[in-house]
């Protein structure tokens, strides 16, 4: 009996697994940091408690949802560049994202209503990005959008999350708590930078090369990642 397994298929899966682990491990670290910071806020005044509530109700559930968004971004790009990822794979990944988002969507309204104004603005921005997911998903499914446009959409959602975390980290005037929250936000930014690099490398691997623009983006992301780590 002939062996029909394609060795490159196993190699592709191995690369994707390593890239996924690289993204998920820092996300877990971020979750632990946010839990610690929000616990500190709860016991330090009413305003701090409102901030802690916004972290606990939205930001902590958002960590797993945003990790799913990062993975959906990568799967969507792989689908667009014909790496062997099919419609069923794409749909399964989107359903996993929706499962992570379901808890978040139920608390957005009450959390926005009770949050301090500067946090509520960022929450609305993040929610608006999530609400547009069906649009980009349809475009990816019909391959009517480029991989650059798909990346840009998902990147905007993750940038919105970063701005929300940054505001939450800085609004409470307590040096110890703020330092921990800023560290958590830096971890998130580093995580997402790694995920963006992974998305570029995956599509470049499928195409056999990076375009000049993609290579420039990769170089910029690498520099940004190193700079973020140096400041953490």
């Amino acid at each position: 009996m002939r062996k029909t397994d394609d060795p490159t298929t196993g190699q592709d899966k191995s690369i994707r697994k390593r890239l996924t682990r690289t993204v998920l491990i820092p996300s877990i670290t971020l979750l632990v940091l946010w839990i610690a910071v929000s616990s500190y806020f709860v016991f330090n005044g009413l305003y701090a408690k409102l901030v802690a509530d916004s972290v606990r109700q939205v930001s902590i559930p958002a960590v797993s949802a945003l990790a799913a968004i990062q993975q959906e971004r990568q799967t969507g790009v792989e689908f667009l560049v014909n790496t062997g990822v099919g419609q069923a794979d794409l749909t399964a990944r989107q359903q996993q994202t929706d499962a992570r988002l379901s808890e978040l969507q139920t608390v957005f309204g009450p959390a926005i209503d009770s949050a301090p104004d500067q946090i509520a603005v960022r929450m609305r921005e993040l929610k608006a990005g999530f609400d547009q997911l069906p649009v980009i998903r349809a475009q990816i499914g019909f391959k009517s959008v480029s991989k650059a446009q798909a990346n840009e959409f998902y990147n905007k959602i993750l940038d919105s999350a970063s701005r929300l975390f940054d505001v939450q980290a800085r609004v409470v005037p307590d040096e110890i708590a703020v330092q921990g929250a800023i560290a958590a936000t830096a971890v998130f930014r580093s995580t997402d930078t790694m995920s963006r690099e992974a998305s570029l490398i995956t599509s470049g691997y499928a195409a056999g090369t990076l375009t000049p623009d993609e290579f420039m983006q990769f170089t910029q992301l690498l520099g940004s990642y190193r700079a973020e780590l140096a400041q953490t």
Side-chain angles (χ1 to χ4, degrees):
M1 184 173 62
R2 291 186 305 170
K3 187 175 182 179
T4 57
D5 290 345
D6 183 352
T8 61
T9 301
Q11 186 180 18
D12 290 347
K13 289 181 179 179
S14 176
I15 290 173
R16 283 199 292 271
K17 285 180 180 178
R18 288 198 297 270
L19 291 175
T20 299
R21 284 197 298 268
T22 300
V23 169
L24 289 180
I25 290 172
S27 294
I28 294 169
T29 304
L30 172 62
L31 179 59
V32 172
L33 281 168
W34 268 123
I35 290 172
V37 170
S38 66
S39 299
Y40 181 91
F41 282 163
V42 165
F43 299 103
N44 286 273
L46 177 61
Y47 186 79
K49 185 180 184 302
L50 292 175
V51 177
D53 287 343
S54 74
V55 172
R56 186 175 60 256
Q57 294 171 9
V58 173
S59 297
I60 290 176
V63 170
S64 60
L66 292 166
I69 287 287
Q70 290 171 334
Q71 293 174 59
E72 182 177 321
R73 173 179 57 194
Q74 186 170 324
T75 302
V77 169
E78 290 176 354
F79 177 79
L80 289 171
V81 297
N82 301 310
T83 61
V85 173
Q87 185 68 55
D89 301 309
L90 184 64
T91 300
R93 176 60 68 192
Q94 292 168 352
Q95 289 173 342
Q96 289 175 23
T97 302
D98 288 341
R100 301 283 181 85
L101 282 173
S102 60
E103 177 187 355
L104 195 57
Q105 295 288 16
T106 61
V107 300
F108 253 128
I112 289 172
D113 290 341
S114 62
D117 289 344
Q118 60 266 54
I119 293 177
V121 168
R122 295 307 181 190
M123 284 183 176
R124 291 189 188 97
E125 181 184 18
L126 180 59
K127 185 179 185 300
F130 288 143
D131 289 344
Q132 290 299 309
L133 274 171
V135 177
I136 194 67
R137 287 173 172 177
Q139 292 172 334
I140 291 173
F142 287 110
K143 296 193 174 183
S144 61
V145 65
S146 69
K147 61 181 180 179
Q149 291 170 320
N151 269 323
E152 182 181 6
F153 174 86
Y154 288 105
N155 291 350
K156 283 182 178 179
I157 290 180
L158 291 150
D159 287 341
S160 295
S162 181
R163 287 190 287 270
L164 169 61
F165 295 161
D166 191 62
V167 170
Q168 288 172 321
R170 297 175 188 277
V171 291
V172 175
D174 184 287
E175 184 177 354
I176 296 174
V178 167
Q179 286 176 354
I182 289 174
T185 304
V187 169
F188 175 76
R189 288 200 183 100
S190 298
T191 300
D192 188 47
T193 299
M194 293 167 66
S195 177
R196 295 182 192 198
E197 290 174 356
S199 183
L200 282 173
I201 291 299
T202 299
S203 62
Y205 181 78
T209 185
L210 291 173
T211 67
D213 283 346
E214 288 172 338
F215 181 76
M216 182 178 295
Q217 289 177 45
F218 179 78
T219 302
Q220 291 171 341
L221 287 169
L222 185 59
S224 175
Y225 173 68
R226 288 177 175 173
E228 195 72 58
L229 284 182
Q231 295 174 12
T232 303

